[in-house]
Amino acid sequence: LRLSQLLALPRAARPLAAHWVIDESSAVALAQRGGRHTRLGFFVTGATLYVLWNVTTLLGALGAEAIGDTGAWGLDAAGPAVFLALLAPMVRTARERVTAAAAVLLGLGLLPVLPGGVPVLVAALAAPAVLWAEGRRTPRPSEESPR
């Protein structure tokens, strides 16, 4: 919904652009100053990933066994690293930093004791937990003392 407002595309272009609404194109678009830069970031990222995804899929289908054990290359860490790199510029306020830190602590702390994928889901609870804690600290207007 946010991208729809920022990109302000003609109605006929929206179904085509929807195919490129992914983490990477959204993060790059949202990191721009607005207007033309937002659209340019979105479309360049979407087009680049579309081409590279298909080319690397073809290469993988033709000769993936040539690179050997992908676990030995540490490629499983590339996805989360790219995702964190995309999110880092968007974490600006103290609330966002606290939320990110709490999510990391929850995710990494529960990684050894929960089945795969579950720590990520639990880490998502960091956002409502931080908002709840922040709400408990902030006095409500009816609780403030008169001046």
Side-chain angles (χ1 to χ4, degrees), residues 37-83:
H37 293 104
T38 299
R39 285 188 293 282
L40 185 63
F42 176 80
F43 283 110
V44 168
T45 304
T48 302
L49 287 173
Y50 178 80
V51 170
L52 290 177
W53 187 277
N54 286 292
V55 168
T56 55
T57 299
L58 176 64
L59 292 174
L62 295 176
E65 59 274 345
I67 64 171
D69 179 20
T70 56
W73 289 76
L75 296 177
D76 54 340
V82 167
F83 191 70

Side-chain angles (χ1 to χ4, degrees), residues 104-120:
V104 167
L105 290 173
L106 276 171
L108 291 177
L110 296 172
L111 194 60
V113 295
L114 292 176
V118 176
V120 173

Side-chain angles (χ1 to χ4, degrees), residues 21-22 60 108 115:
V21 177
I22 54 175
L108 291 177

Side-chain angles (χ1 to χ4, degrees), residues 2-147:
R2 179 79 175 118
L3 279 178
S4 176
Q5 295 168 351
L6 291 174
L7 295 175
L9 298 173
R11 188 175 295 269
R14 291 178 191 170
L16 297 172
H19 291 284
W20 286 351
V21 177
I22 54 175
D23 295 337
E24 294 85 353
S25 62
S26 298
V28 171
L30 291 171
Q32 302 309 309
R33 293 184 295 261
R36 182 175 174 269
H37 293 104
T38 299
R39 285 188 293 282
L40 185 63
F42 176 80
F43 283 110
V44 168
T45 304
T48 302
L49 287 173
Y50 178 80
V51 170
L52 290 177
W53 187 277
N54 286 292
V55 168
T56 55
T57 299
L58 176 64
L59 292 174
L62 295 176
E65 59 274 345
I67 64 171
D69 179 20
T70 56
W73 289 76
L75 296 177
D76 54 340
V82 167
F83 191 70
L84 288 175
L86 289 170
L87 287 178
M90 300 177 87
V91 178
R92 296 182 182 121
T93 67
R95 177 192 298 161
E96 292 166 349
R97 286 190 291 274
V98 168
T99 303
V104 167
L105 290 173
L106 276 171
L108 291 177
L110 296 172
L111 194 60
V113 295
L114 292 176
V118 176
V120 173
L121 297 174
V122 175
L125 296 175
V130 168
L131 290 174
W132 176 82
E134 191 175 83
R136 302 273 300 159
R137 279 190 343 196
T138 307
R140 294 192 176 113
S142 62
E143 296 172 0
E144 291 180 1
S145 59
R147 294 182 186 193

